[in-house]
Amino acid sequence: MSDEELPDTFLDHETYGYPRTFDPNFKGPVAKRSCTDVLCCIIFILFIIAYILLGLVAWVHGDPRRVAYPTDSKGHFCGQKGTPNENKTILFYFNLFSCTSPSVVVNLQCPTTQICVSKCPEKFLTYMEIQFMYRTNKHYWMYYSQFCKSPFVKPAKTVTQVLLDDDCPIAIFPSKPFLQRCFPDFTTKNGTLTVGNKTIFEDGSGKKRNAIELRRAANRVNKILDARAIGMKVFEDYATTWYWILIGLTIAMLLSWLFVILLRFTAGFLFWVFMVGVIGIIGYGIWHCYQEHSNLQGRPNSHLTIYDIGFQTDISMYFQLKQTWFAFMIILCLLEVFIILMLIFLRERIRISIALLKEGSKAIGYLPTTLIYPVLTFIFLSICIAYWAVTAIYLATSGVPIYKVISPERTCKHENTTCNPEIFNTTEIARVCPGAQCNFAFYGGKSLYHQYVPTFQMFNLFVFLWLINFIIALGQCALAGAFASYYWALKKPDDIPQYPVFTAFGRAIRYHTGSLAFGSLILALIQMFKLVLEYLDHRLKEAQNNISKFLQCCLKCCFWCLEKMVKFFNRNAYVMIAIYGKNFCRSARDAFNLLMRNVLKVAVMDKVTDFVLILGKILVAGCIGVLAFLLFTHRLPMMIEGPTSLNYYWVPLLTVIIGSYLVAHGFFSVYAMCIDTIFICFCEDLERNDGSREKPYFIAPTLHGTLNKMQLVPQKQKE
């Protein structure tokens, strides 16, 4: 057949980056290449150098101890080894009532003296009571004096003098350490809030106080306390079940590996195993939700709605409502119906997907090292995440101690101004404002570096996103190069080059770092804009009206769609880069044009295969999830004894399910990249060749036969 007789689809190939005539020597990825997108490569390297320098500067100025240790009024760390406070690990507030803004307490800016102590108070005592008790038993003063700035032989000062000098607290209350700080030990008895079994007590200044006032003074703190209590319980659950979680993730890895191996030999059978398994797991979930809903019939308060109980830090309260289980049951029913309808309407296209899965399995069978590559990606991602987190912590703790003036009555005109504690008593402020103190407030500074710390945090986040997307792009390009070398081998496996994964990885790093950085930069910018929108939405939530909320939702939706679209085009552009070695823009254009010329095949073959792989991930996560649910809820007592006394069984359960899905995603992402590469090469193959002896197809005969029956390829040309 001459060029004049060929359809328009096969003409004008020079426009799309490859020769118009058949190249008999073309056997896969181009070997002779040159560096692409050099300018972007240079910019990327400069950003990495700046990122390293930022980490070094943050390391010099930052001090993570400021996160690990609380700081007293003089700026000294509590519990730091090698200091006088080594055995004093807890921060004690002299007068918590003065902390009218609870958030100030958390930020260490409460206008009261703070000292380091070895333990929190365990009883009610006032300074006036101690003065009377001291006459009969000096032991009481020894106990009380440990909460003073410095030891005193006896309580000789009057209450007024103690308040002025701020040497000791005028009262102490039963407290417990939280975040290495002493906070009141609140309890509830018969619906009444108490502190140390008391509802009313003296504050040391002659006033009667009740537990509600103290609770109000630390209202937000107690919300954090509740969250902290849940955090401690979650930590306890992880400490109890960590080895079960590792076992579950290991089983998920073995199961994913087994599925990948079996797909090569029994793709059709395994596909229906996927289908039946997913439908069965979702069906079990529907039945379990119905059972829980039925068991709650007649129980008190089970008829309440989620809106009635509002936001609760105790997640288990939601599982005591019928509405919760009913909502879960409806969601699972809709998902079940959706999957069944997809199977009915896509039954013909699924045959093509099975053929592609078989071909992908063969490719992975010939290139087994591709299954190890996700481990390398995981290592790179872990390094980037760790570096970003450490840099962020060091930037957040950069600065020098800042001291500010505080006064007991808050009547001083110099309140909240910066001061120097070493010379404060000799300044005019100490004379004008009796009782005022120069206490530690926070860490900061007025240098050029400290002024730009928020900007450095933004830079840290942006480069982190850029690096994460670059690592993912590098993996996609390396795998695409390896699988392309498989497809364009006419005699498989004889024509497959040695070490295809290593060779493709080296080509991507040596020649196409700039192109991969270009594609990942576009994606990082979009993700950065999304994060900025989320931040603005969070900060301006109270001031928004309905119109602004609608516009915000529209912007979020647009950026979400844009991100998905860019990821799709980038992925195919990296395949073209791996094959032809062109720059990013030209490869993206070629990939877009190629897909548009084969849009029917994209809809029929590629996306249906993605649906099948997603079901495989769901099956792996679902199988491990069901086993973990039966184990953590003690429903397998005859087979194996699971962990006992869990606070929240759903914590390790969700961890296992999400972790299993991510493990399966790591393995099946290699499969997905294999299918995408084979699909791109298949479209290229159809446009380059016609199936004749002079221009044979590189596609496998079995896959060609299946596609030929579906009329998705031209008929083989006569010799």
Side-chain angles (χ1 to χ4, degrees):
M1 179 180 288
S2 64
D3 284 348
E4 288 75 11
E5 295 173 316
L6 286 173
D8 292 339
T9 304
F10 301 96
L11 298 179
D12 196 23
H13 289 175
E14 289 182 352
T15 306
Y16 305 113
Y18 46 83
R20 181 172 180 270
T21 57
F22 175 71
D23 182 7
N25 297 320
F26 182 79
K27 293 184 179 180
V30 176
K32 294 182 179 180
R33 300 173 180 238
S34 60
C35 295
T36 56
D37 296 303
V38 177
L39 178 61
C40 193
C41 179
I42 295 173
I43 295 174
F44 182 61
I45 293 173
L46 291 177
F47 265 76
I48 292 178
I49 294 173
Y51 195 35
I52 295 173
L53 292 177
L54 175 63
L56 294 175
V57 173
W59 182 76
V60 171
H61 289 85
D63 190 350
R65 295 178 303 174
R66 297 166 185 172
V67 177
Y69 302 106
T71 311
D72 65 11
S73 297
K74 301 303 179 184
H76 302 142
F77 295 120
C78 297
Q80 183 183 358
K81 293 184 178 180
T83 65
N85 292 331
E86 181 175 358
N87 297 322
K88 299 178 179 180
T89 60
I90 308 171
L91 190 68
F92 172 72
Y93 297 91
F94 269 25
N95 185 10
L96 198 61
F97 285 108
S98 64
C99 308
T100 55
S101 177
S103 61
V104 172
V105 182
V106 181
N107 294 327
L108 304 179
Q109 298 178 29
C110 181
T112 187
T113 301
Q114 304 149 34
I115 64 171
C116 300
V117 295
S118 57
K119 63 178 181 179
C120 294
E122 300 170 347
K123 60 182 73 174
F124 283 103
L125 281 175
T126 66
Y127 184 79
M128 294 179 65
E129 291 174 344
I130 286 298
Q131 285 183 312
F132 289 105
M133 294 178 179
Y134 175 76
R135 300 171 184 174
T136 58
N137 190 343
K138 296 183 179 181
H139 173 74
Y140 288 103
W141 173 246
M142 293 177 60
Y143 175 80
Y144 195 90
S145 63
Q146 65 182 316
F147 304 108
C148 297
K149 281 185 180 179
S150 56
F152 294 93
V153 178
K154 60 181 179 178
K157 293 184 178 181
T158 63
V159 174
T160 304
Q161 190 65 36
V162 168
L163 284 172
L164 288 175
D165 297 341
D166 210 25
D167 291 326
C168 297
I170 57 174
I172 58 175
F173 316 114
S175 306
K176 284 187 176 181
F178 157 64
L179 291 176
Q180 294 181 272
R181 293 161 177 83
C182 292
F183 285 103
D185 183 15
F186 291 109
T187 56
T188 303
K189 289 189 176 182
N190 299 324
T192 303
L193 185 67
T194 64
V195 178
N197 297 323
K198 287 187 178 182
T199 56
I200 299 176
F201 47 86
E202 291 187 6
D203 65 355
S205 62
K207 296 180 181 179
K208 292 286 185 180
R209 301 276 191 164
N210 58 48
I212 297 177
E213 290 182 78
L214 191 58
R215 179 68 179 250
R216 191 181 300 119
N219 186 36
R220 290 187 182 180
V221 176
N222 281 288
K223 287 185 179 179
I224 302 174
L225 284 171
D226 293 338
R228 175 65 175 178
I230 291 180
M232 291 301 296
K233 292 180 180 179
V234 169
F235 179 79
E236 291 173 0
D237 289 342
Y238 278 130
T240 305
T241 61
W242 66 269
Y243 54 92
W244 291 108
I245 294 175
L246 289 180
I247 292 173
L249 297 180
T250 303
I251 296 174
M253 181 186 69
L254 296 176
L255 191 60
S256 301
W257 219 322
L258 179 63
F259 281 161
V260 169
I261 295 173
L262 292 178
L263 275 171
R264 181 181 181 185
F265 305 102
T266 59
F269 172 75
L270 203 59
F271 167 77
W272 291 112
V273 170
F274 283 178
M275 298 302 102
V276 175
V278 170
I279 292 173
I281 289 172
I282 297 176
Y284 174 79
I286 295 172
W287 174 82
H288 178 72
C289 291
Y290 174 77
Q291 288 292 108
E292 293 290 341
H293 183 272
S294 301
N295 294 336
L296 290 174
Q297 292 285 356
R299 291 190 182 181
N301 300 327
S302 64
H303 64 282
L304 297 176
T305 64
I306 296 176
Y307 178 80
D308 292 332
I309 66 173
F311 175 75
Q312 298 291 332
T313 54
D314 187 359
I315 308 297
S316 61
M317 293 186 64
Y318 294 108
F319 296 120
Q320 299 174 13
L321 304 179
K322 292 193 297 182
Q323 187 188 61
T324 303
W325 294 106
F326 184 75
F328 285 159
M329 185 170 61
I330 293 298
I331 293 172
L332 291 177
C333 286
L334 292 175
L335 183 61
E336 187 92 322
V337 171
F338 171 76
I339 292 176
I340 293 174
L341 290 177
M342 290 287 287
L343 291 177
I344 294 174
F345 290 108
L346 299 178
R347 59 186 183 276
E348 292 297 329
R349 299 180 182 181
I350 286 172
R351 292 174 53 196
I352 305 173
S353 298
I354 293 174
L356 276 174
L357 289 173
K358 289 181 178 179
E359 188 65 20
S361 299
K362 290 181 181 178
I364 293 176
Y366 288 130
L367 308 173
T369 52
T370 54
L371 291 177
I372 304 176
Y373 192 87
V375 178
L376 184 62
T377 301
F378 175 78
I379 293 173
F380 287 155
L381 292 177
S382 299
I383 294 173
C384 287
I385 293 172
Y387 187 85
W388 166 77
V390 171
T391 304
I393 291 174
Y394 272 90
L395 284 173
T397 56
S398 296
V400 295
I402 301 297
Y403 300 88
K404 291 197 173 184
V405 177
I406 62 170
S407 60
E409 302 299 331
R410 294 195 173 186
T411 56
C412 179
K413 63 179 181 180
H414 300 286
E415 179 80 22
N416 209 37
T417 58
T418 305
C419 58
N420 186 343
E422 295 182 0
I423 61 172
F424 178 74
N425 291 331
T426 62
T427 61
E428 182 69 15
I429 300 176
R431 187 183 63 82
V432 175
C433 304
Q437 297 181 6
C438 183
N439 282 356
F440 168 78
F442 54 87
Y443 290 97
K446 294 184 179 180
S447 66
L448 186 65
Y449 168 78
H450 295 110
Q451 292 176 7
Y452 283 94
V453 164
T455 305
F456 293 149
Q457 288 283 23
M458 295 288 289
F459 179 79
N460 180 33
L461 178 61
F462 173 72
V463 180
F464 166 71
L465 294 175
W466 196 356
L467 285 173
I468 290 295
N469 287 296
F470 176 81
I471 291 170
I472 295 173
L474 177 61
Q476 291 174 345
C477 189
L479 291 174
F483 290 125
S485 65
Y486 160 82
Y487 183 92
W488 294 108
L490 191 59
K491 296 180 180 180
K492 301 176 178 63
D494 297 336
D495 292 343
I496 299 176
Q498 287 186 329
Y499 312 113
V501 178
F502 178 78
T503 303
F505 179 81
R507 276 200 305 261
I509 287 290
R510 181 179 179 182
Y511 297 109
H512 307 303
T513 296
S515 298
L516 300 179
F518 192 4
S520 55
L521 173 62
I522 298 172
L523 202 52
L525 288 172
I526 295 173
Q527 292 170 345
M528 196 69 184
F529 277 119
K530 284 180 61 181
L531 291 175
V532 171
L533 281 177
E534 290 291 341
Y535 174 77
L536 293 176
D537 182 42
H538 177 72
R539 293 299 299 267
L540 304 176
K541 185 169 292 185
E542 299 296 331
Q544 287 180 346
N545 53 33
N546 292 332
I547 296 177
S548 62
K549 289 181 180 179
F550 174 75
L551 293 176
Q552 192 86 358
C553 291
C554 290
L555 284 174
K556 289 181 182 179
C557 181
C558 290
F559 274 102
W560 182 84
C561 295
L562 181 61
E563 182 182 8
K564 294 297 181 183
M565 183 177 67
V566 170
K567 282 184 177 180
F568 174 76
F569 286 124
N570 280 9
R571 187 182 182 93
N572 291 287
Y574 298 148
V575 176
M576 300 298 282
I577 290 173
I579 298 175
Y580 293 106
K582 305 299 181 182
N583 61 44
F584 176 80
C585 291
R586 187 170 182 178
S587 299
R589 184 198 66 181
D590 293 345
F592 176 78
N593 290 329
L594 182 65
L595 294 175
M596 289 301 100
R597 295 195 304 271
N598 297 272
V599 64
L600 178 62
K601 299 181 183 68
V602 174
V604 173
M605 298 171 59
D606 197 34
K607 297 299 112 185
V608 178
T609 307
D610 288 343
F611 172 70
V612 174
L613 293 177
I614 289 174
L615 291 182
K617 300 173 192 176
I618 294 175
L619 178 61
V620 173
C623 290
I624 304 301
V626 169
L627 291 176
F629 172 76
L630 297 176
L631 178 68
F632 294 141
T633 55
H634 308 289
R635 305 196 183 192
L636 293 174
M638 301 300 295
M639 298 177 59
I640 188 171
E641 184 178 355
T644 58
S645 66
L646 290 178
N647 297 297
Y648 309 112
Y649 74 86
W650 51 267
V651 170
L653 176 62
L654 287 179
T655 304
V656 169
I657 292 175
I658 296 173
S660 299
Y661 183 86
L662 293 177
V663 169
H665 176 74
F667 282 91
F668 284 103
S669 63
V670 175
Y671 227 107
M673 198 66 216
C674 176
I675 299 299
D676 288 346
T677 305
I678 289 177
F679 177 74
I680 291 288
C681 294
F682 162 69
C683 294
E684 288 277 290
D685 194 7
L686 293 184
E687 296 192 353
R688 281 179 166 275
N689 309 308
D690 55 18
S692 63
R693 178 175 296 178
E694 293 77 16
K695 299 180 179 181
Y697 287 131
F698 284 81
I699 188 173
T702 53
L703 181 58
H704 180 271
T706 302
L707 300 178
N708 194 21
K709 292 178 183 178
M710 301 296 295
Q711 298 182 347
L712 290 175
V713 296
Q715 301 297 313
K716 185 177 180 180
Q717 307 302 315
K718 294 182 180 179
E719 298 176 4

